[in-house]
């Protein structure tokens, strides 16, 4: 399930991944239905422990509950101080992709965490906050399936987009053409275009979906911004020639 889910995410890209942080937790099944109708290809689950970040969200029971009601790939963003301790419980609960923060592990420990997570048969991602330089994840990059560039400080939805993420995406795209690149934080119909132009594949979106009553409309706006960038890049590739 997990490896094929990673492939499903890869083949769906560019893809919008709704972040279930600001959804209606009293009606998760209803939220799943609305997101499926809007055409979501995967779900982004923000797990926070109140230690690594000053916010507390949810853990395995929510992942497991969602798993029982959807076949969509579950992309679990671990904002916790001991990601390895919860890796197996998260996989048992139904996670397909586990992304942990480089800032949450000791220097030199990241490779061990990546290898242990890979042994669980899931996709593995490495995340970095806006202030963290790319150099801190350089030895991880050849080993992971995905790099998550945070465009806000991890911990809360609804923050403003930090443009430092764009340069990181450009550098990563250039060095690793095949690596899945994900961005998370402050993504809306405007910032998503900049992230796409910088080479991003997967766009995590919280507020810009959940503050709208109509998720289909929210997805359409986001998709159309991505398509505009892709279209203008295609035109650029053709040297402006009309075909
Ligand atoms: C922040 C989380 C994000 C967050 C995004 O730490 O990782 O996934 O929910 O929310 P918005 O889109 O509102 O910035
Ligand atoms: Zn997230």
């Amino acid at each position: 399930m997990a490896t094929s889910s990673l492939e499903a995410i890869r083949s769906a890209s560019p893809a919008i991944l709704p972040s279930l942080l600001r959804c209606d937790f009293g009606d998760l099944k209803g939220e799943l239905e609305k997101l499926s109708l809007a055409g979501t290809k995967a779900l982004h689950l923000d797990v926070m422990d109140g230690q690594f970040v000053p916010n507390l969200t949810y853990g395995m029971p929510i992942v497991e509950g969602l798993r029982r009601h959807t076949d969509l790939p579950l992309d679990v963003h671990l904002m916790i101080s001991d990601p390895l301790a919860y890796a197996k419980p998260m996989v048992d609960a139904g996670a397909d992709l586990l992304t942990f923060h480089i800032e949450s592990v000791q220097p030199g420990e990241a490779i061990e965490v990546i290898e242990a997570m890979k042994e669980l048969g899931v996709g593995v991602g490495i995340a970095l906050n806006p202030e963290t330089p790319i150099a801190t994840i350089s030895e991880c990059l050849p080993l992971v399936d995905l790099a998550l560039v945070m465009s806000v400080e991890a911990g809360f939805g609804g923050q403003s987009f930090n443009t430092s993420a764009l340069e990181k995406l450009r550098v990563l795209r250039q060095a690793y053409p095949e690596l899945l690149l994900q961005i998370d934080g402050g993504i809306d119909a405007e910032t998503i275009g900049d992230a796409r132009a910088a080479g991003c594949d997967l766009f995590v979106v919280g507020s810009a979906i959940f503050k709208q009553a109509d998720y289909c409309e929210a997805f359409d706006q986001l998709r159309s911004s991505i398509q505009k960038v892709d279209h203008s890049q295609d035109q650029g590739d053709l040297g402006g020639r009309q075909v």
Side-chain angles (χ1 to χ4, degrees), residues 171-191:
V171 169
L172 289 168
R173 180 78 300 151
Q174 174 104 31
Y176 293 92
E178 300 302 319
L179 183 65
L180 273 176
L181 297 183
Q182 184 177 55
I183 192 162
D184 184 358
I187 296 293
D188 58 22
E190 198 180 318
T191 54

Side-chain angles (χ1 to χ4, degrees), residues 17-22 44-48 53 55 77 79 101 129 148 150-161 183-188 204-210:
L17 275 64
S19 147
L20 273 65
L21 188 59
R22 294 193 148 195
H44 179 86
L45 309 180
D46 288 303
V47 175
M48 307 187 192
V53 291
N55 193 8
H77 179 187
M79 287 163 276
H101 273 256
N129 272 323
L148 165 53
M150 293 300 296
S151 36
V152 300
E153 188 72 17
F156 296 92
Q159 304 180 73
S160 307
F161 184 78
I183 192 162
D184 184 358
I187 296 293
D188 58 22
V204 177
V205 185
S207 312
I209 293 172
F210 291 97

Side-chain angles (χ1 to χ4, degrees), residues 8-92:
I9 293 179
R10 192 185 294 283
S11 57
S13 76
I16 295 152
L17 275 64
S19 147
L20 273 65
L21 188 59
R22 294 193 148 195
C23 67
D24 179 358
F25 284 96
D27 182 21
L28 276 176
K29 271 178 80 174
E31 293 285 41
L32 272 182
E33 278 163 26
K34 284 164 69 181
L35 291 167
S36 297
L37 266 179
T40 194
K41 296 289 194 297
L43 302 173
H44 179 86
L45 309 180
D46 288 303
V47 175
M48 307 187 192
D49 65 355
Q51 290 186 26
F52 176 65
V53 291
N55 193 8
L56 186 63
T57 57
Y58 52 82
M60 285 73 76
I62 294 281
V63 177
E64 192 273 330
L66 288 165
R67 179 76 300 156
R68 271 187 288 118
H69 293 287
T70 182
D71 289 331
L72 287 170
L74 301 179
D75 162 33
V76 176
H77 179 187
L78 296 170
M79 287 163 276
I80 62 178
S81 52
D82 192 351
L84 196 48
Y86 292 94
K88 184 166 186 316
M90 280 295 173
V91 174
D92 290 344

